[in-house]
PDB file of all heavy atoms in Angstrom:
ATOM      1  N   ALA U1430     -13.095   4.164 -37.329  1.00  0.00           N
ATOM      2  CA  ALA U1430     -12.358   5.133 -38.138  1.00  0.00           C
ATOM      3  C   ALA U1430     -10.910   5.262 -37.698  1.00  0.00           C
ATOM      4  O   ALA U1430     -10.052   5.682 -38.470  1.00  0.00           O
ATOM      5  CB  ALA U1430     -13.042   6.499 -38.071  1.00  0.00           C
ATOM      6  N   THR U1431     -10.618   4.887 -36.458  1.00  0.00           N
ATOM      7  CA  THR U1431      -9.244   4.991 -35.970  1.00  0.00           C
ATOM      8  C   THR U1431      -8.386   3.818 -36.416  1.00  0.00           C
ATOM      9  O   THR U1431      -7.187   3.802 -36.189  1.00  0.00           O
ATOM     10  CB  THR U1431      -9.220   5.059 -34.435  1.00  0.00           C
ATOM     11  OG1 THR U1431      -9.682   3.812 -33.905  1.00  0.00           O
ATOM     12  CG2 THR U1431     -10.096   6.188 -33.924  1.00  0.00           C
ATOM     13  N   GLY U1432      -9.035   2.787 -36.978  1.00  0.00           N
ATOM     14  CA  GLY U1432      -8.265   1.644 -37.437  1.00  0.00           C
ATOM     15  C   GLY U1432      -8.606   0.402 -36.669  1.00  0.00           C
ATOM     16  O   GLY U1432      -9.047   0.445 -35.525  1.00  0.00           O
ATOM     17  N   CYS U1433      -8.424  -0.749 -37.276  1.00  0.00           N
ATOM     18  CA  CYS U1433      -8.792  -2.020 -36.667  1.00  0.00           C
ATOM     19  C   CYS U1433      -7.969  -2.337 -35.443  1.00  0.00           C
ATOM     20  O   CYS U1433      -8.357  -3.166 -34.626  1.00  0.00           O
ATOM     21  CB  CYS U1433      -8.641  -3.159 -37.686  1.00  0.00           C
ATOM     22  SG  CYS U1433      -9.803  -3.025 -39.073  1.00  0.00           S
ATOM     23  N   ALA U1434      -6.824  -1.670 -35.295  1.00  0.00           N
ATOM     24  CA  ALA U1434      -5.962  -1.962 -34.140  1.00  0.00           C
ATOM     25  C   ALA U1434      -6.672  -1.695 -32.827  1.00  0.00           C
ATOM     26  O   ALA U1434      -6.297  -2.220 -31.798  1.00  0.00           O
ATOM     27  CB  ALA U1434      -4.687  -1.120 -34.219  1.00  0.00           C
ATOM     28  N   ALA U1435      -7.741  -0.870 -32.880  1.00  0.00           N
ATOM     29  CA  ALA U1435      -8.491  -0.569 -31.657  1.00  0.00           C
ATOM     30  C   ALA U1435      -9.101  -1.823 -31.077  1.00  0.00           C
ATOM     31  O   ALA U1435      -9.424  -1.874 -29.897  1.00  0.00           O
ATOM     32  CB  ALA U1435      -9.582   0.457 -31.957  1.00  0.00           C
ATOM     33  N   PHE U1436      -9.322  -2.864 -31.912  1.00  0.00           N
ATOM     34  CA  PHE U1436      -9.965  -4.082 -31.454  1.00  0.00           C
ATOM     35  C   PHE U1436      -9.002  -5.279 -31.487  1.00  0.00           C
ATOM     36  O   PHE U1436      -9.432  -6.407 -31.424  1.00  0.00           O
ATOM     37  CB  PHE U1436     -11.201  -4.380 -32.316  1.00  0.00           C
ATOM     38  CG  PHE U1436     -12.252  -3.311 -32.221  1.00  0.00           C
ATOM     39  CD1 PHE U1436     -12.300  -2.283 -33.150  1.00  0.00           C
ATOM     40  CD2 PHE U1436     -13.178  -3.321 -31.195  1.00  0.00           C
ATOM     41  CE1 PHE U1436     -13.272  -1.298 -33.059  1.00  0.00           C
ATOM     42  CE2 PHE U1436     -14.152  -2.342 -31.097  1.00  0.00           C
ATOM     43  CZ  PHE U1436     -14.196  -1.327 -32.027  1.00  0.00           C
ATOM     44  N   ASP U1437      -7.713  -5.026 -31.616  1.00  0.00           N
ATOM     45  CA  ASP U1437      -6.740  -6.099 -31.812  1.00  0.00           C
ATOM     46  C   ASP U1437      -5.777  -6.134 -30.631  1.00  0.00           C
ATOM     47  O   ASP U1437      -5.117  -5.137 -30.325  1.00  0.00           O
ATOM     48  CB  ASP U1437      -5.981  -5.834 -33.120  1.00  0.00           C
ATOM     49  CG  ASP U1437      -5.068  -6.988 -33.491  1.00  0.00           C
ATOM     50  OD1 ASP U1437      -5.029  -7.973 -32.736  1.00  0.00           O
ATOM     51  OD2 ASP U1437      -4.408  -6.891 -34.538  1.00  0.00           O
ATOM     52  N   THR U1438      -5.704  -7.279 -29.963  1.00  0.00           N
ATOM     53  CA  THR U1438      -4.796  -7.413 -28.818  1.00  0.00           C
ATOM     54  C   THR U1438      -3.511  -8.154 -29.186  1.00  0.00           C
ATOM     55  O   THR U1438      -2.640  -8.315 -28.324  1.00  0.00           O
ATOM     56  CB  THR U1438      -5.496  -8.175 -27.674  1.00  0.00           C
ATOM     57  OG1 THR U1438      -5.806  -9.514 -28.119  1.00  0.00           O
ATOM     58  CG2 THR U1438      -6.777  -7.482 -27.244  1.00  0.00           C
ATOM     59  N   ASP U1439      -3.380  -8.595 -30.443  1.00  0.00           N
ATOM     60  CA  ASP U1439      -2.277  -9.494 -30.800  1.00  0.00           C
ATOM     61  C   ASP U1439      -0.907  -8.890 -30.494  1.00  0.00           C
ATOM     62  O   ASP U1439      -0.035  -9.559 -29.908  1.00  0.00           O
ATOM     63  CB  ASP U1439      -2.354  -9.871 -32.281  1.00  0.00           C
ATOM     64  CG  ASP U1439      -3.534 -10.792 -32.574  1.00  0.00           C
ATOM     65  OD1 ASP U1439      -4.183 -11.234 -31.610  1.00  0.00           O
ATOM     66  OD2 ASP U1439      -3.796 -11.054 -33.763  1.00  0.00           O
ATOM     67  N   ASP U1440      -0.663  -7.648 -30.912  1.00  0.00           N
ATOM     68  CA  ASP U1440       0.650  -7.038 -30.704  1.00  0.00           C
ATOM     69  C   ASP U1440       0.939  -6.863 -29.204  1.00  0.00           C
ATOM     70  O   ASP U1440       2.075  -7.055 -28.761  1.00  0.00           O
ATOM     71  CB  ASP U1440       0.725  -5.684 -31.397  1.00  0.00           C
ATOM     72  CG  ASP U1440       0.787  -5.810 -32.917  1.00  0.00           C
ATOM     73  OD1 ASP U1440       1.064  -6.928 -33.403  1.00  0.00           O
ATOM     74  OD2 ASP U1440       0.544  -4.807 -33.606  1.00  0.00           O
ATOM     75  N   ASP U1441      -0.076  -6.505 -28.456  1.00  0.00           N
ATOM     76  CA  ASP U1441       0.113  -6.313 -27.018  1.00  0.00           C
ATOM     77  C   ASP U1441       0.403  -7.644 -26.326  1.00  0.00           C
ATOM     78  O   ASP U1441       1.254  -7.728 -25.442  1.00  0.00           O
ATOM     79  CB  ASP U1441      -1.125  -5.656 -26.409  1.00  0.00           C
ATOM     80  CG  ASP U1441      -1.411  -4.290 -27.013  1.00  0.00           C
ATOM     81  OD1 ASP U1441      -0.444  -3.585 -27.331  1.00  0.00           O
ATOM     82  OD2 ASP U1441      -2.596  -3.949 -27.161  1.00  0.00           O
ATOM     83  N   VAL U1442      -0.291  -8.691 -26.740  1.00  0.00           N
ATOM     84  CA  VAL U1442      -0.040 -10.029 -26.178  1.00  0.00           C
ATOM     85  C   VAL U1442       1.371 -10.477 -26.523  1.00  0.00           C
ATOM     86  O   VAL U1442       2.096 -11.029 -25.681  1.00  0.00           O
ATOM     87  CB  VAL U1442      -1.073 -11.044 -26.708  1.00  0.00           C
ATOM     88  CG1 VAL U1442      -0.641 -12.477 -26.395  1.00  0.00           C
ATOM     89  CG2 VAL U1442      -2.439 -10.769 -26.093  1.00  0.00           C
ATOM     90  N   ARG U1443       1.786 -10.227 -27.765  1.00  0.00           N
ATOM     91  CA  ARG U1443       3.134 -10.608 -28.189  1.00  0.00           C
ATOM     92  C   ARG U1443       4.190  -9.890 -27.331  1.00  0.00           C
ATOM     93  O   ARG U1443       5.161 -10.500 -26.875  1.00  0.00           O
ATOM     94  CB  ARG U1443       3.323 -10.259 -29.670  1.00  0.00           C
ATOM     95  CG  ARG U1443       4.595 -10.823 -30.295  1.00  0.00           C
ATOM     96  CD  ARG U1443       4.666 -10.511 -31.776  1.00  0.00           C
ATOM     97  NE  ARG U1443       3.511 -11.047 -32.485  1.00  0.00           N
ATOM     98  CZ  ARG U1443       2.554 -10.313 -33.041  1.00  0.00           C
ATOM     99  NH1 ARG U1443       2.624  -8.993 -32.986  1.00  0.00           N
ATOM    100  NH2 ARG U1443       1.549 -10.883 -33.654  1.00  0.00           N
ATOM    101  N   ARG U1444       3.975  -8.593 -27.079  1.00  0.00           N
ATOM    102  CA  ARG U1444       4.909  -7.821 -26.259  1.00  0.00           C
ATOM    103  C   ARG U1444       4.909  -8.334 -24.822  1.00  0.00           C
ATOM    104  O   ARG U1444       5.979  -8.445 -24.186  1.00  0.00           O
ATOM    105  CB  ARG U1444       4.533  -6.334 -26.303  1.00  0.00           C
ATOM    106  CG  ARG U1444       5.397  -5.436 -25.440  1.00  0.00           C
ATOM    107  CD  ARG U1444       6.851  -5.484 -25.846  1.00  0.00           C
ATOM    108  NE  ARG U1444       7.652  -4.550 -25.078  1.00  0.00           N
ATOM    109  CZ  ARG U1444       8.921  -4.770 -24.715  1.00  0.00           C
ATOM    110  NH1 ARG U1444       9.527  -5.901 -25.062  1.00  0.00           N
ATOM    111  NH2 ARG U1444       9.589  -3.855 -24.026  1.00  0.00           N
TER     112      ARG U1444
END
Side-chain angles (χ1 to χ4, degrees):
T1431 66
C1433 294
F1436 298 94
D1437 187 0
T1438 63
D1439 290 352
D1440 288 345
D1441 299 325
V1442 167
R1443 190 176 302 112
R1444 178 60 176 146

